[in-house]
């Protein structure tokens, strides 16, 4: 039997898989803590510098004459990161996301080559280790370096963790596990705000935020290797052992379980997965180019609207909590639409991206009116809701578009382009200097164009998932690829006619 038939026999989402996926989903709370740490640990309190003092020439003089008027503990108050030193707070945040970018690129191909579990556990172990280095950093330089290393582990491990939540269950449950993973991350952001409210000292907060990682590391050690990855590598006996163990714990009788490779995909004939195949394989090249832009646009619009929709006024802990909670309504919408035959992954993702884009464009036409429920701010928040939904779908959709043997490499490359969108997002608001509507025009056009390009991708709902590159040449996949090429050629011909 093939792998999907085997999952039907052992249980697509049995008791054992529910436990395994629950551990990985709850791990998102810990990863959200690490991602949001700099928001509270790097809080800048109000301060006063004695005006009667002559111009301050050195850092030592500044420390002597500055007074923090707000009772806050942060790296700013400990290392006096104000005035010409204030850039170091933003730098620490940028180093974390730079590390995430590197981790996405390195961990994806590595886990495709040596396995999901060893890469996942190693990443989680070192993230916890470097997280404690953050909490006990004796200087800013050590703190900044630890944030870079935590980011590398966080970005790479999160990628492998997401893939495992998909590969432990049957394909029918991929949308559910992927959506729950992203939703729990949003809840983790809100929980971090609650933790920060009760734990005010920044070193204690960093320690408390990192400590759940120890628990999740211990819970993750017994997790098995991905049976899909083992199957994609031709390690049939090991894949059968994992599936038989799942069947036993799920209370299923799988005595007749016997896997076999698809025709033409014996281990000696298999193509090794790698980033190079994303360029050399025609279908994968088209998909990767489109997905890279979609991921980039999702990140640009999401983080850009986060900066524009919320103000700096009010309680900072409430602000951080709302940053996560505002996303929650998006996830039930995703689960509903992407499993409907008349909507599916492709149309739903494209629609949400387009709606986010149009929300941004309409924002330019509405004047800011305080106290009005229908305002530019409400439209901007609606846009964020829509792009949050699209962001969730693109994770699930991308994992279904790539064969198992190269899935992590594909997700890694797409996630890399996503980080570039996040890096550029803070600079877009500065375009107000050209015209007040320019930032929302950029966000709007990015969302609409990404939605249009997303329609070039094939639908994956109720379609077979390839385990190897060779399986993409099977008759079922050939029909999908022919339609994909046809749509791509139609788009090119329309573009030429317009020109």
């Amino acid at each position: 039997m093939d792998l999907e038939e085997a999952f039907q026999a052992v249980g697509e989402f049995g008791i054992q898989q529910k436990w395994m996926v629950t551990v990985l989903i709850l791990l998102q709370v810990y990863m959200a803590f690490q991602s949001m740490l700099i928001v509270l640990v790097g809080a800048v309190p109000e301060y006063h510098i004695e005006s009667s003092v002559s111009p301050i020439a050195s850092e030592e003089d500044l420390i002597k004459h500055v007074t923090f008027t707000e009772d806050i503990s942060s790296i700013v108050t400990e290392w006096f990161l104000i005035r010409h030193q204030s850039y170091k707070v933003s730098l620490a945040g940028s180093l974390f996301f730079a590390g995430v970018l590197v981790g996405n690129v390195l961990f994806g191909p590595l886990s495709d080559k040596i396995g999901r579990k060893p890469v996942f556990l190693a990443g989680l172990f070192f993230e916890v280790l470097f997280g404690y280095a953050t909490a006990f950093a004796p200087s800013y330089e050590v703190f900044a370096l630890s944030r870079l290393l935590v980011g590398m582990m966080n970005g790479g491990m999160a990628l492998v963790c997401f893939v495992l939540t998909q590969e432990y269950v049957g394909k029918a449950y991929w949308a559910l596990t992927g959506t729950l993973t992203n939703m729990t991350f949003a809840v983790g952001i809100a929980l971090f705000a609650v933790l920060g409210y009760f734990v005010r000292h920044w070193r204690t907060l960093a320690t408390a935020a990192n400590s759940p990682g120890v628990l999740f590391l211990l819970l993750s050690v017994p997790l098995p290797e991905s049976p899909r990855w083992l199957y994609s590598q031709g390690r049939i006996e090991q894949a059968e052992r994992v599936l038989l163990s799942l069947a036993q714990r799920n209370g299923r009788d799988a005595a007749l379980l016997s896997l076999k490779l698809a025709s033409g995909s014996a281990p000696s004939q298999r193509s090794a997965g790698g980033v190079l195949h994303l360029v050399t394989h025609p279908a994968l090249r088209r998909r990767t180019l489109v997905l890279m832009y979609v991921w980039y646009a999702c990140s640009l619009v999401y983080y850009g609207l986060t900066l524009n929709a919320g103000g700096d006024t009010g309680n900072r802990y409430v602000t951080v909590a709302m940053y996560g909670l505002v996303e929650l309504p998006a996830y039930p919408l995703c689960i509903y639409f992407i499993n409907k035959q008349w909507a599916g992954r492709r149309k739903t993702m494209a629609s949400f991206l387009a709606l986010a884009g149009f929300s941004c464009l309409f924002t330019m036409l509405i004047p800011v009116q305080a106290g009005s429920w229908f305002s530019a701010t409400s439209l901007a928040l609606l846009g964020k809701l829509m792009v949050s939904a699209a962001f969730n779908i693109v994770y699930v959709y991308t994992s279904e578009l790539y064969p198992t043997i190269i899935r992590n490499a594909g997700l890694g490359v797409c996630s890399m382009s996503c980080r570039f969108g996040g890096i550029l997002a803070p600079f877009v608001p500065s375009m107000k200097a050209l015209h007040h509507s320019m930032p929302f025009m950029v966000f709007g056009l990015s969302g609409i164009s990404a939605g249009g390009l997303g329609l070039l991708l094939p639908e994956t709902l109720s379609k077979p998932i390839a385990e190897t590159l060779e399986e993409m040449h099977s008759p079922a996949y050939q029909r999908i690829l022919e339609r994909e090429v046809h749509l791509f050629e139609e788009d090119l011909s329309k573009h030429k006619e317009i020109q």
Side-chain angles (χ1 to χ4, degrees):
M1 62 178 68
D2 63 23
L3 199 56
E4 293 305 326
E5 291 174 337
F7 269 104
Q8 292 284 344
V10 305
E12 289 189 284
F13 198 34
I15 295 175
Q16 180 62 17
Q17 285 123 308
K18 288 176 181 176
W19 163 249
M20 292 156 53
V21 170
T22 297
V23 172
L24 297 175
I25 288 175
L26 291 179
L27 178 61
Q28 302 301 312
V29 174
Y30 168 71
M31 289 191 279
F33 283 5
Q34 290 296 338
S35 298
M36 298 298 294
L37 186 69
I38 194 63
V39 175
L40 297 182
V41 164
V44 182
E46 296 180 1
Y47 61 89
H48 172 72
I49 299 177
E50 297 179 21
S51 58
S52 59
V53 182
S54 58
I56 297 173
S58 66
E59 184 177 347
E60 290 74 15
D61 291 336
L62 175 63
I63 295 174
K64 292 178 182 177
H65 299 102
V66 66
T67 302
F68 291 103
T69 59
E70 192 177 356
D71 186 18
I72 288 179
S73 170
S74 70
I75 61 173
V76 175
T77 61
E78 180 162 338
W79 294 312
F80 292 88
L81 305 181
I82 58 176
R83 296 183 63 174
H84 61 283
Q85 296 288 327
S86 61
Y87 75 92
K88 291 184 177 180
V89 178
S90 300
L91 177 61
S94 297
L95 285 173
F96 176 85
F97 286 105
V100 171
L101 171 62
V102 176
N104 288 155
V105 176
L106 294 179
F107 277 56
L110 194 61
S111 67
D112 282 333
K113 184 176 182 180
I114 68 175
R116 313 303 199 217
K117 182 179 177 179
V119 174
F120 166 70
L121 289 179
L124 181 54
F125 172 78
F126 284 109
E127 181 170 359
V128 172
L129 184 65
F130 296 139
Y132 282 121
T134 293
F136 298 103
S139 65
Y140 169 80
E141 289 71 22
V142 175
F143 175 87
L145 177 60
S146 70
R147 297 315 294 161
L148 173 67
L149 296 174
V150 168
M152 287 179 61
M153 300 302 111
N154 186 281
M157 185 266 294
L159 181 70
V160 182
C161 177
F162 179 84
V163 171
L164 281 174
T165 63
Q166 307 276 278
E167 295 185 350
Y168 279 151
V169 302
K171 183 182 178 294
Y173 292 91
W174 281 21
L176 175 64
T177 57
T179 299
L180 289 175
T181 299
N182 292 326
M183 183 171 66
T184 307
F185 187 90
V187 173
I189 295 174
L191 291 177
F192 177 69
V194 176
L195 179 65
Y197 179 80
F198 290 103
V199 182
R200 297 301 180 94
H201 193 280
W202 80 265
R203 290 187 183 273
T204 308
L205 176 60
T207 303
N210 191 59
S211 294
V214 178
L215 173 62
F216 286 113
L217 178 61
L218 295 176
L219 292 174
S220 299
V221 171
L223 296 178
E225 180 57 88
S226 163
R228 292 184 183 276
W229 181 81
L230 292 170
Y231 179 84
S232 71
Q233 297 295 312
R235 294 157 66 171
I236 301 301
E237 292 183 1
Q238 291 175 267
E240 286 179 349
R241 284 198 294 270
V242 173
L243 291 170
L244 286 171
S245 176
L246 292 178
Q248 182 181 7
R249 295 174 184 236
N250 289 338
R252 295 290 192 95
D253 182 14
L256 299 179
L257 177 67
S258 177
L259 290 176
K260 63 178 181 179
L261 292 173
S263 177
S265 59
S268 61
Q269 298 172 316
R270 299 165 72 85
S271 299
V275 178
L276 187 62
H277 284 117
L278 301 178
V279 179
T280 58
H281 195 286
L284 291 179
R285 181 170 61 245
R286 285 191 298 273
R287 294 181 187 184
T288 301
L289 288 174
V290 172
L291 286 170
M292 285 179 69
Y293 183 75
V294 170
W295 279 67
Y296 161 81
C298 282
S299 181
L300 180 71
V301 178
Y302 175 85
Y303 290 110
L305 288 178
T306 300
L307 295 174
N308 280 274
D312 294 329
T313 59
N315 188 295
R316 63 168 51 89
Y317 302 103
V318 174
T319 302
V320 174
M322 289 303 299
Y323 182 85
L325 294 177
V326 74
E327 303 177 33
L328 295 184
Y331 300 110
L333 291 174
C334 294
I335 295 176
Y336 177 78
F337 284 110
I338 64 178
N339 288 315
K340 297 295 182 181
Q341 290 292 339
W342 50 268
R345 276 69 158 149
R346 180 171 63 96
K347 293 179 182 177
T348 305
M349 182 192 72
S351 299
F352 276 129
L353 276 169
L355 287 172
F358 283 119
S359 295
C360 293
L361 291 181
F362 291 154
T363 298
M364 301 185 302
L365 306 177
I366 299 176
V368 178
Q369 298 177 357
S372 174
W373 68 271
F374 186 69
S375 62
T377 300
S378 62
L379 275 178
L381 288 172
L382 176 63
K384 186 185 177 185
L385 176 68
M386 295 294 105
V387 78
S388 297
F391 221 156
N392 176 64
I393 295 169
V394 77
Y395 268 95
V396 178
Y397 191 27
T398 301
S399 66
E400 294 178 344
L401 284 170
Y402 287 108
T404 301
I405 197 170
I406 202 173
R407 184 170 296 127
N408 262 350
L411 279 168
V413 170
C414 293
S415 187
M416 178 184 68
S417 64
C418 164
R419 304 308 163 192
F420 282 114
I423 292 171
L424 291 176
F427 296 98
V428 176
S430 63
M431 298 177 69
K432 289 180 180 178
L434 301 175
H435 192 275
H436 69 88
S437 65
M438 282 296 292
F440 284 105
M441 183 177 293
V442 171
F443 298 142
L445 294 179
S446 297
I448 294 171
S449 59
L453 282 176
L455 293 174
L456 299 177
L457 297 169
E459 180 56 67
T460 57
L461 179 62
S462 303
K463 300 295 192 301
I465 296 295
E467 305 298 334
T468 67
L469 293 175
E470 286 77 7
E471 286 184 21
M472 295 186 69
H473 298 288
S474 65
Y477 273 95
Q478 283 302 309
R479 290 193 293 271
I480 296 175
L481 294 179
E482 287 173 4
R483 174 172 172 75
E484 189 177 343
V485 171
H486 178 68
L487 290 172
F488 190 75
E489 290 176 348
E490 278 188 352
D491 181 72
L492 286 178
S493 62
K494 290 179 182 178
H495 182 68
K496 290 179 182 179
E497 290 176 2
I498 294 174
Q499 289 181 331

